[in-house]
Amino acid sequence: METFGTRAPGEPAIRPLAPEDEAGVARLLAACEDYFTAATGSAALPADVQSLYYSLPEGADFDQKHLLVLWHEGVPVGLVDAVQGHPDPATCSVGLFLLHPRVRGAGLGTRAARHLLREAEARGTRRVTATCPPDWAPGIAFLRRLGFEVRRPGPRQSSTVGNRLRRPAETRLCTAVLRLGADADGASAPECQAGGEAS
């Protein structure tokens, strides 16, 4: 995926994660301790950056994996982990869309996400899935603002979360679905009730 941005000063840019980005991304993960504690029960570890490369759901290939870094003012402030074509060719599974606390609520994540959704639709994606802890209000609000249908956790939990294997502490996660293009409809389902600022 190419780097993108706008001509306006201060706009974000997204590009694939490169080995030289690992130290900055490790700092980003550490700064997002609030999210990781809510999602997994513990803070991120430096080794989690390396594990991003290898974390795949069953049945997916490494060439479907996309790790993208959101840059702003010369530093990484966001991370996207997605698997294209999983669990079916028309679906993109997002395992992580993470924003540094200092840029949450500033609109950078929303602009980046909307760009990526447009690009995914242009490439034939018709459905995007994600997960969110039911009490992580910023994430649920962010997903709803983008048009995702956020559903309450079901009684059964699969062994995967989004596009990766589930950690033991990751239970009772909300699922979120966005239908794109001709597949978009007004279907509704029981929703998670948290609200709040954008993640």
Side-chain angles (χ1 to χ4, degrees), residues 57-167:
E58 186 175 345
D61 295 322
F62 284 103
D63 61 356
Q64 296 173 262
K65 176 94 162 181
H66 298 281
L67 292 172
L68 306 171
V69 183
L70 172 62
W71 287 82
H72 182 60
E73 298 178 350
V75 296
V77 296
L79 179 68
V80 181
D81 175 6
V83 174
Q84 182 62 47
H86 180 79
D88 58 72
T91 300
C92 179
S93 298
V94 179
L96 188 65
F97 192 107
L98 188 68
L99 293 176
H100 194 289
R102 75 177 175 85
V103 300
R104 293 176 192 166
L108 296 177
T110 300
R111 292 194 295 275
R114 286 184 174 149
H115 173 88
L116 292 173
L117 290 169
R118 286 191 300 270
E119 184 171 296
E121 183 178 356
R123 293 181 182 203
T125 298
R126 293 295 172 258
R127 183 172 177 261
V128 179
T129 63
T131 58
C132 187
D135 57 352
W136 183 246
I140 290 174
F142 178 69
L143 289 165
R144 286 183 176 153
R145 191 162 30 258
L146 291 170
F148 280 81
E149 176 188 321
V150 183
R151 302 170 181 171
R152 287 196 307 254
R156 296 182 60 191
Q157 298 289 310
S158 72
S159 61
T160 59
V161 175
N163 65 8
R164 60 180 172 74
L165 294 177
R166 180 185 298 276
R167 295 180 184 181

